[in-house]
Amino acid sequence: MKRISILIGVVGALLASLLVLPASGVGDTSDVQVVHGVPGLTVDVYVDGGKALPSFAPNTRTDAIPFPAGSYEIKVVPEGGDPATDAVITQTVEVPAAGLDIDLVAHYDGSGTPVLTAFVNDVSPTGDNKARLNARHTANAPTVDIRANGGIVFGGVSNPDGGTTEVPAATYDVDIVAAGTTSEVFQADLALAEGKSYYAYAVGNLSGTTPDFTVYLFSEELGSKSSSRLAGATRFETAVAISKSQFPEGSNTVYVARSDNQVDAVAGGVLTDGPILIVPSTGDVPQVVLDEIKRLGAKNVVALGGSAAISDEVLAQLVG
């Protein structure tokens, strides 16, 4: 019997700056977690041309990122590579609507090609003394049956399918076998707690002379996510609302990024000493932005990008 270890890990919310992406409507966002399911390859993830997630390690998952509904070009590039020539995945991903909870998984398809697949999560509360189990086949491996205590829970699961079920909270002997057989490729004892949702991803490659097949498991407390909105009537007002929430006592430094292209705002998400406000590249700065800079008491205004991103005329208004 071949035992494969379960890898458990969470990456911090490095993409939190996506809160200031242009939205098609106020508060029109879904929560997206990015899951890295390609073993052995640390990557940089680009969103619409900007490096949004650097040095993203295998078998990890980001915290929830609010994405406005819309289409995004995602490129997954080996760490330090050129997105124009070195991307291992280039794919348009659709966030179809607001109010969804989505796992966006980079993984091998059934032929060993890296792809992205989106899974919509059920994050509603479970029944009393129940846990929710989500099992997803995202490995270059044959069709499998997923069993608990010897009985099939999800039968005939092929890449990139899976299943979701509620089970009594308990400890289970879980194994994965080739479909229709008892030929085991994975086994572990899993303790499933009441009120939690568990996500198990089979990832990697089961074929060849050096298989790297792994199961990645993580869990979250259902009902632990609170719902609120930081929004305004325009994208400028939304950025101001975020600034007021995160820096209620003001800030010596404020960063500004162009409003018509989110790349600089995304890249600036690693900055923590001041808020990111958005401004037009040229022309008049909205009064709501000037008022927020005054409220913050900012002594330093830092423009993200060159003069083509934010003109000298705009900078003069910001420091005037």
Side-chain angles (χ1 to χ4, degrees):
M1 177 180 72
K2 182 178 182 181
R3 291 180 178 263
I4 310 295
S5 62
I6 296 179
L7 302 181
I8 302 175
V10 176
V11 165
L14 298 178
L15 292 179
S17 60
L18 287 173
L19 281 167
V20 297
L21 283 171
S24 59
V26 175
D28 189 17
T29 62
S30 285
D31 283 346
V32 177
Q33 294 83 211
V34 185
V35 180
H36 187 344
V38 181
L41 183 65
T42 299
V43 299
D44 300 325
V45 179
Y46 288 77
V47 178
D48 286 346
K51 186 189 289 187
L53 187 58
S55 303
F56 190 26
N59 299 315
T60 50
R61 178 186 187 246
T62 65
D63 290 338
I65 307 155
F67 264 83
S71 297
Y72 300 88
E73 183 188 62
I74 309 294
K75 288 192 175 185
V76 179
V77 182
E79 184 178 24
D82 184 345
T85 58
D86 300 332
V88 294
I89 302 174
T90 299
Q91 196 167 323
T92 298
V93 172
E94 185 79 17
V95 177
L100 301 177
D101 190 278
I102 299 169
D103 274 7
L104 180 61
V105 187
H107 66 98
Y108 289 133
D109 66 11
S111 63
T113 300
V115 296
L116 293 171
T117 299
F119 295 91
V120 177
N121 301 322
D122 179 359
V123 293
S124 63
T126 62
D128 292 342
N129 197 36
K130 293 292 185 69
R132 181 170 295 126
L133 178 62
N134 307 270
R136 288 154 181 179
H137 188 334
T138 52
N140 178 19
T143 301
V144 298
D145 296 332
I146 301 169
R147 307 188 306 178
N149 294 342
I152 295 177
V153 180
F154 305 111
V157 182
S158 299
N159 184 319
D161 299 326
T164 299
T165 188
E166 286 190 17
V167 296
T171 298
Y172 294 87
D173 178 3
V174 174
D175 62 356
I176 299 174
V177 299
T181 76
T182 58
S183 178
E184 191 174 81
V185 295
F186 167 81
Q187 187 279 331
D189 292 333
L190 300 185
L192 307 184
E194 178 182 3
K196 284 191 173 184
S197 188
Y198 295 82
Y199 301 84
Y201 287 99
V203 301
N205 193 332
L206 196 58
S207 61
T209 57
T210 56
D212 55 4
F213 180 85
T214 303
V215 171
Y216 170 48
L217 177 75
F218 62 90
S219 66
E220 62 185 4
E221 195 84 29
L222 291 169
S224 62
K225 292 183 179 179
S226 60
S227 295
S228 62
R229 294 188 187 276
L230 292 173
T234 68
R235 64 190 65 178
F236 304 102
E237 293 180 17
T238 297
V240 167
I242 296 168
S243 173
K244 289 179 176 178
S245 173
Q246 297 301 308
F247 295 89
E249 304 301 322
S251 172
N252 284 330
T253 299
V254 61
Y255 297 91
V256 293
R258 63 188 297 175
S259 60
D260 60 337
N261 188 317
Q262 68 271 20
V263 171
D264 292 333
V266 170
V270 298
L271 302 168
T272 60
D273 60 332
I276 299 176
L277 301 178
I278 55 175
V279 296
S281 292
T282 60
D284 293 334
V285 176
Q287 188 62 43
V288 66
V289 177
L290 298 176
D291 290 345
E292 177 61 7
I293 293 175
K294 182 178 180 179
R295 183 197 70 80
L296 289 164
K299 298 178 181 178
N300 304 304
V301 178
V302 180
L304 302 179
S307 58
I310 297 175
S311 68
D312 292 340
E313 172 197 8
V314 168
L315 275 180
Q317 296 176 63
L318 297 171
V319 298

